[in-house]
Amino acid sequence: MSEPGKLAYKIKIGVLAMQGDFDAHCKTVEDAGGYPFLVRTPQEIVSADGLILPGGESTTIGKLLVRYGLDKALKEAHSSGTPVYGTCAGMILLAKRIESGAERGGQTTLGLMDITVARNAFGRQVDSFESDILVPEIDEKEPFRAVFIRAPIITEAGPSVNILGCVQDKIVVARQGNLLVSAFHPELTNDGRMHRYFLNEIVRPSLTER
Amino acid sequence: MEQTIENTRLTNGYSNSNGNSNGEKTDSMTPEKATWRNKVGLAEMLKGGVIMDVVNAEQARIAEEAGATAVMALERVPADIRKDGGVARMSDPAMIREIMDTVTIPVMAKCRIGHIAEARILEAIRDSKGDRGVDFIDESEVLTPADEQYHLYKHDYKVPFVCGCRDLGEALRRIGEGAAMIRTKGEAGTGNVVEAVRHMRTVMGGVRRIRTMDEAELMTEAKNLGAPYDLVRYVWQNGKLPVPNFSAGGVATPADAALMMMLGAEAVFVGSGIFKSGDPAERAKRMVDAVTFWNDPEKLVEVSTNLGEPMVGIDIRQLDEKDLLATRGW
């Protein structure tokens, strides 16, 4: 909320819209005080202060990124300092390494974050679940009601990766510099805390550095 | 008032958070499986994508490679069901399992309307890793109904369900029974989009009508639609269905797919349209492109150009009443 008479700069968040729950992300970004817009072309990526890779099917989104030349544009945006937040499929896309369980169907990744990810780590859809998880970096007291859908986990994290949250002793929230990932979907529970953290603690500080 | 997925499960007697289906209190750190949010959540993940009918592992691979968000495993595509006649049933678990082992995207399968046993079988199938269940069950009018009076009570299952509808009342009845995704029926296996358009127009028109109503009119509207009152109220408050609304039945070209998105579909099912066409791999890819770029006419020119033969279409008016699939279900 901006003070009366003072216009606050609204952070522009590009939400990748190949496929997936990008609308839910846009709504959550708006609630968190940002200005969301959909990204489908390399040109649209350039104008974003921060980027979100939504939930969806990682195989599909990965293939479309390559087909439309967005993979290069996303890597360039990251190397020029644009923060990126990935949920679920988005987390898989940001990972450097995919667990060898991915023998079926090639998974394209952008290879930006020093983590190894196992896909569908809890099983198929009937094993999708929700659970409370605490992410002290974001909120020390109030846990997130985390919705996991055919969710991945992080099985290995490099030394520069900050582990922010776990469920059943498995890493599901992490940050490395201006990359943030969560295996669950805060955008599906009208919980704006993760997005506010991304906007205020990662994207906003990065604006002055760029 | 904006509603989350959580409080859309209004017609069900129990709450989802911190309690299992028996109403026992569970610890909030204990994972709670197959919640309403999990079910609708998977439908959310499939938005903006194309779900393709496949009859074997080879086709499933082509679909995944083309960018399908999910595949529907079935023994015969609707065009062949229409041609062959006879009773159409759930597919052999062996072929469904083979497809589950072939692709990493979600696998859906169809059961007959009201066929409790087929639904339980699809829920219990294991892939070669030992993981259980197809990812979505389509209680589908494309198969021959097993029960002409009652649909499944879908809240009872761990697997989420998708059901077809022709109008808003039918959509809300299915959601009331526990469908976590709705698809307008269209007329499957015809390659003719006219019924898909009719059904999507009818559903979206119904939603727009309710939005403009006075609160006092909602109960009568619920009575006229034959729909649960609390779901009619949800539509009135939110201006949309409580679950994602996809399109199906007769989509044969990239332009058809884009049309359905323009009319309000949130994703598209393509049945016979891909593997009954001249170049399935290329058509599958172009369908995916059309759904991602449905709002970009220049891109649509590109994906529609030099695509070769679409499937042969059928004029709906030439079909006998008994040959219509969309009239199954109630």
Side-chain angles (χ1 to χ4, degrees), chain B:
Chain B
M1 189 186 109
E2 184 64 39
Q3 300 217 8
T4 61
I5 292 174
E6 181 172 30
N7 46 15
T8 61
R9 189 176 168 168
L10 302 165
T11 50
N12 197 278
Y14 49 85
S15 136
N16 244 321
S17 49
N18 296 344
N20 63 19
S21 52
N22 300 321
E24 291 160 16
K25 198 78 182 160
T26 50
D27 186 88
S28 64
M29 295 288 179
T30 310
E32 197 189 344
K33 288 188 183 181
T35 65
W36 181 239
R37 272 200 298 227
N38 284 137
K39 292 176 177 179
V40 180
L42 180 56
E44 293 281 337
M45 296 309 136
L46 298 174
K47 277 184 179 177
V50 181
I51 300 159
M52 303 183 190
D53 279 3
V54 297
V55 299
N56 55 42
E58 176 57 25
Q59 290 187 353
R61 212 170 286 125
I62 291 171
E64 182 173 62
E65 193 52 43
T69 49
V71 289
M72 176 76 70
L74 75 178
E75 269 164 4
R76 290 179 292 171
V77 294
D80 289 331
I81 292 175
R82 191 174 284 286
K83 204 168 67 198
D84 299 351
V87 174
R89 311 178 178 90
M90 177 189 80
S91 300
D92 188 325
M95 74 81 68
I96 297 171
R97 189 179 298 133
E98 195 193 346
I99 289 171
M100 287 162 77
D101 284 338
T102 302
V103 295
T104 61
I105 54 179
V107 175
M108 303 186 174
K110 289 181 193 287
C111 74
R112 284 178 266 177
I113 290 173
H115 204 307
I116 302 165
E118 284 187 351
R120 288 297 179 196
I121 290 167
L122 293 174
E123 185 180 47
I125 284 183
R126 284 178 194 276
D127 64 18
S128 61
K129 282 198 299 188
D131 289 333
R132 207 159 58 94
V134 299
D135 299 293
F136 241 102
I137 298 176
D138 185 2
E139 186 186 21
S140 177
E141 73 284 357
V142 168
L143 305 183
T144 312
D147 188 330
E148 295 200 321
Q149 225 181 337
Y150 303 113
H151 283 253
L152 297 167
Y153 185 66
K154 293 165 277 285
H155 282 303
D156 260 0
Y157 297 77
K158 293 197 171 68
V159 179
F161 278 79
V162 52
C163 285
C165 72
R166 285 162 298 169
D167 54 42
L168 185 57
E170 197 175 3
L172 296 180
R173 287 193 292 280
R174 297 293 85 78
I175 297 166
E177 293 158 354
M181 179 203 293
I182 284 297
R183 55 170 178 77
T184 45
K185 287 178 181 172
E187 191 56 36
T190 60
N192 186 341
V193 80
V194 67
E195 294 299 303
V197 168
R198 189 191 320 280
H199 299 156
M200 186 56 73
R201 283 267 185 209
T202 307
V203 170
M204 300 306 285
V207 169
R208 283 189 288 268
R209 227 175 75 80
I210 288 182
R211 270 175 75 182
T212 62
M213 281 184 175
D214 182 77
E215 195 167 5
E217 297 169 344
L218 297 180
M219 185 59 85
T220 302
E221 181 68 6
K223 177 193 161 216
N224 292 340
L225 289 175
Y229 173 74
D230 46 9
L231 295 182
V232 171
R233 226 186 142 74
Y234 177 95
V235 172
W236 178 67
Q237 282 173 329
N238 296 276
K240 63 185 182 74
L241 293 183
V243 304
N245 178 20
F246 293 9
S247 167
V251 175
T253 66
D256 288 349
L259 167 64
M260 296 318 298
M261 297 298 285
M262 291 170 184
L263 292 177
E266 295 177 293
V268 176
F269 283 83
V270 184
S272 321
I274 289 171
F275 289 100
K276 287 287 167 192
S277 73
D279 185 350
E282 187 59 28
R283 183 163 297 259
K285 225 184 251 180
R286 306 271 190 107
M287 290 287 200
V288 170
D289 291 346
V291 169
T292 297
F293 292 98
W294 62 271
N295 210 8
D296 179 346
E298 282 181 32
K299 189 82 186 173
L300 294 178
V301 172
E302 199 182 303
V303 303
S304 301
T305 305
N306 287 330
L307 185 46
E309 278 301 297
M311 73 178 281
V312 180
I314 301 173
D315 184 346
I316 308 288
R317 287 169 301 185
Q318 307 304 315
L319 287 176
D320 280 344
E321 182 68 27
K322 66 174 170 48
D323 295 325
L324 295 176
L325 302 177
T327 52
R328 297 164 167 183
W330 31 91

Side-chain angles (χ1 to χ4, degrees), chain A residues 136-166:
Chain A
E137 163 85 8
I138 295 171
D139 193 329
E140 283 179 7
K141 291 198 184 75
E142 199 54 41
F144 282 84
R145 187 66 186 167
V147 179
F148 294 89
I149 297 164
R150 288 168 43 94
I153 56 168
I154 297 171
T155 53
E156 264 174 9
S160 58
V161 176
N162 209 348
I163 294 163
L164 303 183
C166 293

Side-chain angles (χ1 to χ4, degrees), chain A:
Chain A
M1 199 81 86
S2 58
E3 293 164 36
K6 192 180 168 191
L7 277 178
Y9 174 73
K10 277 206 172 185
I11 294 174
K12 298 194 294 291
I13 301 291
V15 181
L16 185 72
M18 297 292 96
Q19 178 279 316
D21 71 337
F22 47 83
D23 281 336
H25 271 289
C26 285
K27 202 195 149 290
T28 315
V29 166
E30 220 171 333
D31 292 348
Y35 173 81
F37 65 99
L38 298 179
V39 166
R40 293 190 174 97
T41 62
Q43 297 76 27
E44 287 162 335
I45 288 179
V46 181
S47 54
D49 298 327
L51 290 158
I52 289 181
L53 310 185
E57 287 310 315
S58 59
T59 314
T60 306
I61 299 174
K63 284 185 194 307
L64 297 187
L65 284 181
V66 176
R67 201 185 291 170
Y68 307 141
L70 290 174
D71 53 339
K72 275 196 214 100
L74 284 169
K75 283 183 202 166
E76 276 162 24
H78 171 255
S79 63
S80 70
T82 309
V84 189
Y85 171 33
T87 59
C88 195
M91 169 170 125
I92 297 171
L93 291 166
L94 287 174
K96 276 220 164 89
R97 295 167 299 276
I98 306 290
E99 195 98 312
S100 55
E103 74 280 2
R104 300 171 292 164
Q107 173 65 55
T108 312
T109 86
L110 300 169
L112 299 179
M113 191 165 175
D114 191 12
I115 52 174
T116 307
V117 163
R119 302 167 67 196
N120 299 347
F122 299 95
R124 305 187 73 94
Q125 171 63 11
V126 298
D127 293 309
S128 290
F129 65 99
E130 50 181 274
S131 169
D132 279 8
I133 85 163
L134 202 59
V135 185
E137 163 85 8
I138 295 171
D139 193 329
E140 283 179 7
K141 291 198 184 75
E142 199 54 41
F144 282 84
R145 187 66 186 167
V147 179
F148 294 89
I149 297 164
R150 288 168 43 94
I153 56 168
I154 297 171
T155 53
E156 264 174 9
S160 58
V161 176
N162 209 348
I163 294 163
L164 303 183
C166 293
V167 70
Q168 300 164 34
D169 300 325
K170 296 177 173 96
I171 307 168
V172 291
V173 190
R175 176 179 172 181
Q176 178 186 4
N178 56 13
L179 297 172
L180 178 68
V181 293
S182 70
F184 66 90
H185 298 278
E187 76 278 10
L188 291 185
T189 49
N190 277 4
D191 188 334
R193 286 175 293 167
M194 191 74 85
H195 289 71
R196 270 199 299 278
Y197 174 79
F198 178 62
L199 261 68
N200 298 332
E201 308 296 326
I202 303 181
V203 181
R204 202 176 287 281
S206 81
L207 292 176
T208 50
E209 290 161 20
R210 268 183 263 173

